[in-house]
Amino acid sequence: MESAPISRINPTPVQTYFANVKTALSRHNYTETVNLATNAVVHIQQLQLMAVLDHRAYALGMRSKFDIAIKDAKEMITYAPDMATGYLRLGSLLVMQGKQGMAVEVYQDALEKVSKDDTVGYNQLVQGKEIAEKNNERRVDFFASLPPELVDEIIILMEDKDMAICLNVSKTWREKIASCGLAWVNISNEDNTAHGIIANALPYIARYIEDLVINTTDLEVWFRYLDHMHNGHFKKIDSFEMTNIATTNLINTNMVMSLTSALWQMRTTLTRLQFTFYCHGTPFTLTDLLFYCTNLQSLVFEAWDPLDKVVGNLEFLGGPHRSLIDLETTITATTSESLEPLLKQLPKLRRLSVSYSTPDVLDLVYRMCPKLEIFGYNPSFGILDLDDLEGESNGPGLRAIYTRNGGFGVPKDKFLPFLRKNMHTLQTIYANLSLTEDQVKNDEPYHDPFPDYRDLKLERTESLTFWPDKSGIIQTLILHAIESCKSLTHIAAVATPNIPSLVDTLIMMPPLEEMELSHITADDGGSSLVRLFKMYASLPESKQKFRRFWFRYCSSITDEVLDAVADGKVLKEVTLTKLGNVTQEGAQNFFKKLRDSSVFEVKLVEMDGVDDGVIKFLSGMKCLKTIILEKAMEITDDGIRKMVDDAQNLRSLTLNKCKSFSQETVTYVQKKIRYVEIID
């Protein structure tokens, strides 16, 4: 029995009630008339409600929304516990899910409550129970009968813990799931329960795991992982990470030997290792990790202890580590003195990122790392990976260099030598060259470096991000260095005091693809930017390149600037953040001009005046697929509904810390848009 028949209202009992009421009334028996009429009303309501609930439960079941459908069936039983209809529907829904045993129990319960006088209903219950019992005894294993290729496709789509649970269903399931090696390549779980389930499955799956992230606090679970590592079961392990929550709760000085022994067992395949240890008293050292992981290529290590306490006795290595090419540390008090012994043991480093380091580290790296291609000096964000480098290297030298994002600048006398030494190879430069902490503290002037670096020419740079000093002295040097560069596609200027000179240089160069302007308080650059973007828009469409821009906290960005940008023919992405000189009318006109453009993403953050009128023009943009609105407090429920109704291709909508919307509006939007994120 695949599905119980849909209930239909039987008019016979209703007609009988009407006839009885009419007869009592004709006899002037008013008391009986009232009683019969009341019973008729109750019975009619009961029949109608049961039929409607049954229709809905059936439809929900056909859409595989079984949880909701079962609620309707149970409500039918509660409303009419002596009628067969609710039990038949509930049993049918359970059978559709393959839960034959539970269906048998429902039918048996119904047979004890439904009267045999209801011949049709009672017989249907008996029939349903018999069929469910037969199906329950037969138990066809559909999984075992599927083609191997389809089984693998199903397994790969499952979550780690669900796959581990399925290993215990039967011997056949265990053989099929355990043998699907691709399903177990990456293991990373967010909770102890999931990690515990996976740990129980390790005898079957450890040999397939290549990328393992330990994020558990359960010591027993951790011991299971360690045991399998000790026994050499992780035969393909390539990457191993322990997060802060795991290392803090699982690793202590008594466990160092067990951990390092486990690493030794995995040494032939392990090439990437990451430990995050956010507490004082790190129980193991960098020397420990390098000694036991002989083939390690990439090491990420974060700790609160100073580097001289964490590095360990490097003499135990017995010579340089010949495999490590990538080192990333976030370790407090990294000085030249503490870092130098470590760098001596790592002659093949191609990528180095050091945080919380002192300025003398710059001199050390300049002198000791000839093979370095990527260097991060106190970066406050993730920097480029070696695998992300594009194109061939133009000889030995740095291809990417990074400083911190904001705050005090890097000492120019220690940083500029890197630019000159690597000016033929640098592709990405992220340079905070504003005043250093000592310059601000001592009120020191910013000496002009141009006479010593007039030969600086960045000929291969593709992406340049820079913070100049407040007087613009360093900007003159930077602009001189890029003026003949033919490869620059992205520029980000932060807190520059001189927009006109920046524009004068850019106008003489090949057109950019991307521009970021941030925290520029000078309001005299608007006309220059208008000139730049009008020039870009005047180019033949085949030669236009300007596709993305991010304007944040800039007085120079006005209605006129946005109007000039909107004339471009190849624009793709727009980000506007807290632009005080952009009016509501200017924003409306900007998005109105972009109606037929190829822009597919718009992000608006803290933009005063962004209301229903502005987002109305957003919805008119034909190619727009993604809208991100942050701290937009003037948008109403009606405005959001109208926007999603009118948007032709909108696929993603994010509302971050905006005005609160009603649950009805949120539900309405979620039905219209594929991806919706509401962040309070």
Side-chain angles (χ1 to χ4, degrees), residues 517-532:
L517 298 177
S518 301
H519 296 86
I520 299 174
T521 56
D523 57 5
D524 61 348
S527 59
S528 295
L529 291 170
V530 169
R531 181 163 57 97
L532 175 67

Side-chain angles (χ1 to χ4, degrees), residues 403 409-412 415-416 419 431-435 446 466-469 474 478:
T403 64
V410 61
K412 69 178 188 309
F415 184 80
L416 290 178
L419 298 189
N432 184 346
L433 293 167
S434 56
L435 296 178
Y446 201 109
F466 71 99
W467 283 254
D469 61 292
I474 196 67
I478 295 296

Side-chain angles (χ1 to χ4, degrees), residues 233-304:
H233 294 165
F234 286 84
K235 298 182 181 301
K236 292 185 178 181
I237 189 77
D238 174 71
S239 176
F240 178 39
E241 176 185 350
M242 290 193 72
T243 65
N244 172 49
I245 191 172
T247 54
T248 302
N249 288 276
L250 304 178
I251 306 299
N252 54 50
T253 54
N254 297 324
M255 198 176 291
V256 172
M257 186 60 70
S258 297
L259 175 60
T260 52
S261 177
L263 293 174
W264 177 256
Q265 290 296 328
M266 300 187 293
R267 69 189 184 282
T268 57
T269 60
L270 190 64
T271 65
R272 185 182 182 279
L273 186 62
Q274 179 170 346
F275 278 97
T276 303
F277 211 101
Y278 285 168
C279 64
H280 293 292
T282 309
F284 47 82
T285 66
L286 290 171
T287 297
D288 294 329
L289 302 180
L290 294 173
F291 180 83
Y292 289 99
C293 302
T294 54
N295 291 311
L296 200 63
Q297 296 179 15
S298 175
L299 174 60
V300 179
F301 195 86
E302 302 180 43
W304 280 357

Side-chain angles (χ1 to χ4, degrees), residues 27-57:
R27 295 173 179 172
H28 304 290
N29 189 341
Y30 301 120
T31 299
E32 185 179 3
T33 299
V34 171
N35 291 334
L36 289 171
T38 300
N39 290 334
V41 169
V42 172
H43 193 71
I44 291 170
Q45 288 177 337
Q46 185 184 57
L47 290 174
Q48 289 177 327
L49 177 61
M50 292 288 284
V52 171
L53 284 173
D54 196 37
H55 278 70
R56 186 167 71 176

Side-chain angles (χ1 to χ4, degrees), residues 336 340 344 360-370 418 421:
S336 174
E340 182 171 3
K344 285 181 179 179
D360 57 358
V361 165
L362 288 164
D363 296 329
L364 177 69
V365 173
Y366 183 86
R367 175 170 49 89
M368 289 193 61
C369 300
F418 279 95
K421 180 181 180 181

